Amino acid sequence: LEACGGAQAENDALSEAFGGDRFEELAKETRQLLQVQDVSVKAGSQLIILVPFREDARKSRGKQLQAFVTHFENAFLKALPSTVTAHILILEQADSAKFNRGKLLNVGALWCHAYLNKEQDIILCLHDVDILPDQSLAQFY
């Protein structure tokens, strides 16, 4: 409510718009739902990091891809639980059409469904080549 200016009239209007007197209670419930309570992954799970990619005219994305792979191999993947097998799947668009991130991710998900061991849990993580996550985030992957 403070983010809305803190004025009582605004708070009253928001309260009315979002459930009357229960607005603050609902807001607290929502915050509690969004908090991660326990992150546990079955032993033997496969984490597949799907990374859509296409080189640009300046040839700068290839350098980003190399930095991404190096970061994941040398730092991030080591922070994952040892019971999880992780793979990076680069989904490269080679044609000259407009880059279609969504289509590449769909193709990657379909490939995983078709070719990976279905007896293990498969966790798909949709990623971008230009984001290098901190090791402290590994538990959320």
Side-chain angles (χ1 to χ4, degrees):
L1 293 174
E2 291 299 317
C4 297
Q8 188 61 43
E10 288 179 18
N11 289 347
D12 292 344
L14 283 172
S15 181
E16 185 62 34
F18 292 98
D21 294 335
R22 287 192 19 93
F23 175 70
E24 287 187 38
E25 184 180 327
L26 289 171
K28 286 178 188 174
E29 288 174 18
T30 301
R31 281 193 295 273
Q32 289 172 353
L33 287 174
L34 294 176
Q35 293 176 355
V36 177
Q37 299 297 325
D38 180 28
V39 178
S40 59
V41 177
K42 285 185 188 177
S45 295
Q46 297 181 78
L47 171 64
I48 312 300
I49 301 168
L50 301 176
V51 184
F53 174 79
R54 181 168 67 181
E55 185 61 89
D56 63 0
R58 295 177 296 153
K59 305 290 185 198
S60 64
R61 301 295 275 178
K63 293 175 186 172
Q64 287 179 340
L65 178 60
Q66 186 58 49
F68 177 87
V69 170
T70 300
H71 173 76
F72 266 79
E73 287 178 342
N74 295 337
F76 191 78
L77 295 181
K78 292 178 181 176
L80 291 172
S82 61
T83 58
V84 174
T85 304
H87 304 280
I88 301 170
L89 184 59
I90 307 301
L91 309 163
E92 185 169 11
Q93 180 175 330
D95 63 14
S96 60
K98 186 175 178 182
F99 185 64
N100 192 334
R101 180 180 187 272
K103 189 172 190 177
L104 289 172
L105 292 170
N106 285 339
V107 167
L110 290 171
W111 185 91
C112 290
H113 179 72
Y115 294 104
L116 294 178
N117 183 351
K118 292 177 180 59
E119 295 185 20
Q120 294 177 306
D121 284 347
I122 298 171
I123 304 164
L124 298 181
C125 176
L126 313 181
H127 221 289
D128 290 313
V129 72
D130 57 351
I131 296 176
L132 304 177
D134 187 77
Q135 289 176 315
S136 65
L137 298 174
Q139 65 178 329
F140 300 109
Y141 271 66

